Amino acid sequence: MNDTTDIDDIINNLRDDDISNLHSGIEIQSSLDDSFQQTDLTDLKKAWLAERMSPDILAFQTSLIDRLMDRIRIQAAYIEENSMADFHNSGDIKMKLLIVESELERIKFLVRGYLRTRLSKIDKYTIYIIQSGENQQEGNADQFDLRLLLSPQEIQYMERHHRILLNLYNTQFLSALPAQLQRLDDSSGGISMVEEPDLDKPVFIRVLETVERPIRVGLDEITLEKGNIYVLRYSAISKYLIGGEVELI
Amino acid sequence: MYGDIANKLIQDAKLTQMLETLPLYQEELVRSIVREVRDLHRDTEAVLARYGGELPTQDRKVACWIFVQHLCMRRNKRCLLAYQRLRSTRLDAMAWNDVDTMDQEVLNNLNPNEQDYLRDYSELLVDYKGEWVDVDLTGSLEPPRDLFIDVRVLKDAGEIQTEYG
């Protein structure tokens, strides 16, 4: 049996006024600006996808996540309220709650995936991120302080995790080694011990705005034209990603 | 030969990758590797001291020997780090999967420092998760498909009570 038919049937059977009820039910709950509502979900999907696809860490979407979290709380409260109050009510409200809850689960999944992807990158590149901040403080202007891309909570998480990890290495064996071998960010001996993101990783992109100046990839020149999809090295397009001319897919 | 013990440690790490649970911490191996590094270091320092602390570039035989000593030390260090890194990553995963940090069976295979680490990381995780209670960070990473599962009624089961009444 096709497992989606049932829910499709129910949705098809909804009368128009049910749907408008539904909308008012969902939207009344929110005191936030309407224009944000439609784009926020698209933006979240985009942020989630971009974070999963890009080799290095991107800027934390503070205001987007804040708005969504507010709304998740409101919706959760709405479900709570109505499932209790309208216990004996007709199927209408149940259907409405069902849809709200499904949608809520989906959004939670996206937020969860977004945050966990970031955490895994933070764990992987901890020393690289911390060093980028130190290099910049030493007046090395080429290097961007990657810590600016993290949320305050993420910075806290990273620093604490780094501290306990360092403590573990030290107590286990590092402190027993000769002094010049005790560092974790050792790069003498020809091999750097700090793991860095592979910025030359190929990524799929879709162009949102045509970029007039052709970009150089090896010996070729490419003009990024609106609507087209390319596979390029991340390093070649990262600045257009930040500028919003392209998106990762 | 230099580095032999470290090889054993790496083999253990390789085995660990294939196991579901963390095997016993190789305390003895780790300690002998550290001892080897210190021995190598002491010998090297002694020879260097004879040349006044400078690398004897004139005497290529000695320079080469010192170079090899250094490489062995660094290799040993990398092996130690790789081993511990693998284990700490597994400990992190345990914290995410909400393994009981008091469970003796889990703790038996860890050495005291690792136990401390597991406890610290679990605390850290609780704090970070506390910022995001609404989305339940440890929840499933599989996309949700349906709130409900489909059932076909085979036998009349009478009235059942659900969350929505």
Side-chain angles (χ1 to χ4, degrees):
Chain A
M1 284 258 294
N2 186 344
D3 57 353
T4 57
T5 28
D6 288 352
I7 198 115
D8 285 346
D9 283 349
I10 301 173
I11 291 169
N12 290 337
N13 290 342
L14 279 178
R15 294 187 310 274
D16 280 352
D17 55 326
D18 280 341
I19 291 172
S20 58
N21 273 341
L22 195 65
H23 273 288
S24 59
I26 294 168
E27 271 159 30
I28 281 170
Q29 300 304 315
S30 173
S31 56
L32 295 151
D33 193 353
D34 262 8
S35 62
F36 277 138
Q37 302 219 340
Q38 288 306 313
T39 54
D40 273 355
L41 187 53
T42 335
D43 286 350
L44 175 64
K45 278 188 208 156
K46 233 194 240 181
W48 173 68
L49 209 62
E51 198 65 63
R52 287 188 64 103
M53 291 304 146
S54 81
D56 69 347
I57 198 149
L58 303 171
F60 187 75
Q61 304 285 335
T62 312
S63 61
L64 173 67
I65 296 290
D66 280 353
R67 283 200 302 277
L68 282 163
M69 290 306 288
D70 278 345
R71 243 171 289 149
I72 286 175
R73 269 186 283 273
I74 291 165
Q75 294 289 38
Y78 173 76
I79 292 176
E80 189 93 340
E81 233 167 66
N82 283 282
S83 60
M84 297 307 265
D86 295 296
F87 202 75
H88 300 291
N89 228 337
S90 61
D92 260 16
I93 185 81
K94 280 183 209 160
M95 186 63 215
K96 199 193 282 181
L97 288 178
L98 202 99
I99 294 175
V100 174
E101 203 173 339
S102 300
E103 190 60 14
L104 198 58
E105 282 306 314
R106 290 194 188 126
I107 293 172
K108 281 189 197 172
F109 163 75
L110 285 175
V111 176
R112 189 189 303 144
Y114 178 70
L115 295 170
R116 298 267 315 248
T117 310
R118 292 181 62 85
L119 278 192
S120 80
K121 282 186 193 173
I122 291 171
D123 280 346
K124 200 165 172 196
Y125 303 128
T126 303
I127 299 183
Y128 176 72
I129 295 171
I130 291 175
Q131 277 183 347
S132 76
E134 285 166 1
N135 283 346
Q136 218 221 9
Q137 275 168 11
E138 284 163 16
N140 187 346
D142 310 341
Q143 186 125 28
F144 181 72
D145 186 354
L146 291 165
R147 283 179 305 181
L148 298 175
L149 301 177
L150 308 185
S151 72
Q153 296 96 320
E154 284 172 336
I155 291 182
Q156 235 180 11
Y157 168 89
M158 177 179 79
E159 284 173 355
R160 243 176 94 184
H161 193 192
H162 185 58
R163 203 163 50 234
I164 60 175
L165 206 56
L166 204 62
N167 187 31
L168 175 69
Y169 290 143
N170 276 330
T171 47
Q172 292 286 61
F173 51 82
L174 267 190
S175 56
L177 295 182
Q180 74 259 42
L181 286 172
Q182 285 186 10
R183 290 178 63 86
L184 262 191
D185 49 359
D186 202 341
S187 59
S188 59
I191 317 162
S192 170
M193 295 183 51
V194 181
E195 192 160 6
E196 295 182 10
D198 174 17
L199 296 179
D200 280 336
K201 191 185 119 168
V203 288
F204 285 88
I205 54 157
R206 185 188 291 121
V207 181
L208 302 173
E209 299 286 339
T210 304
V211 178
E212 295 300 339
R213 245 165 50 94
I215 57 167
R216 222 164 214 304
V217 183
L219 296 173
D220 297 328
E221 285 202 337
I222 296 178
T223 313
L224 299 174
E225 279 184 54
K226 190 175 172 176
N228 283 2
I229 291 175
Y230 302 89
V231 190
L232 291 170
R233 289 192 187 284
Y234 178 76
S235 52
I237 53 94
S238 59
K239 65 168 183 271
Y240 302 113
L241 179 68
I242 294 163
E245 285 102 342
V246 304
E247 64 176 351
L248 293 174
I249 50 172
Chain B
M1 219 183 97
Y2 303 144
D4 265 3
I5 322 170
N7 246 359
K8 279 194 205 137
L9 193 67
I10 291 304
Q11 265 158 13
D12 187 81
K14 198 128 191 190
L15 185 76
T16 306
Q17 282 181 322
M18 286 185 271
L19 293 176
E20 292 264 310
T21 52
L22 274 183
L24 195 65
Y25 181 74
Q26 299 285 351
E27 190 91 51
E28 206 33 62
L29 275 183
V30 169
R31 226 178 280 151
S32 19
I33 295 172
V34 170
R35 218 174 301 129
E36 188 181 280
V37 172
R38 290 161 74 123
D39 287 348
L40 287 170
H41 183 68
R42 205 192 41 232
D43 291 353
T44 317
E45 288 296 292
V47 172
L48 270 178
R50 250 188 281 146
Y51 289 88
E54 300 273 320
L55 191 70
T57 36
Q58 306 300 319
D59 191 345
R60 307 210 25 196
K61 218 159 80 186
V62 177
C64 178
W65 180 81
I66 290 173
F67 187 59
V68 172
Q69 297 278 89
H70 267 290
L71 285 184
C72 288
M73 282 190 268
R74 285 191 199 288
R75 177 173 183 280
N76 278 345
K77 178 189 170 187
R78 285 177 70 84
C79 292
L80 287 170
L81 281 171
Y83 178 70
Q84 192 61 66
R85 168 89 182 163
L86 177 74
R87 289 182 68 91
S88 64
T89 316
R90 289 288 282 270
L91 293 175
D92 289 359
M94 275 161 68
W96 275 102
N97 296 330
D98 226 2
V99 173
D100 185 4
T101 47
M102 284 297 148
D103 187 354
Q104 274 309 317
E105 269 193 44
V106 176
L107 294 184
N108 275 344
N109 282 347
L110 310 179
N111 89 336
N113 295 328
E114 287 181 318
Q115 294 178 8
D116 285 347
Y117 174 78
L118 180 61
R119 213 167 307 123
D120 286 348
Y121 187 71
S122 300
E123 266 172 38
L124 166 60
L125 210 54
V126 169
D127 284 355
Y128 187 76
K129 275 192 299 199
E131 308 275 343
W132 304 101
V133 265
D134 298 295
V135 291
D136 181 20
L137 269 188
T138 39
S140 166
L141 293 178
E142 293 289 315
R145 303 208 180 283
D146 226 331
L147 282 180
F148 305 110
I149 50 162
D150 291 315
V151 291
R152 185 185 295 157
V153 181
L154 298 173
K155 240 188 260 171
D156 198 351
E159 203 170 302
I160 57 163
Q161 192 82 36
T162 66
E163 209 179 321
Y164 294 129

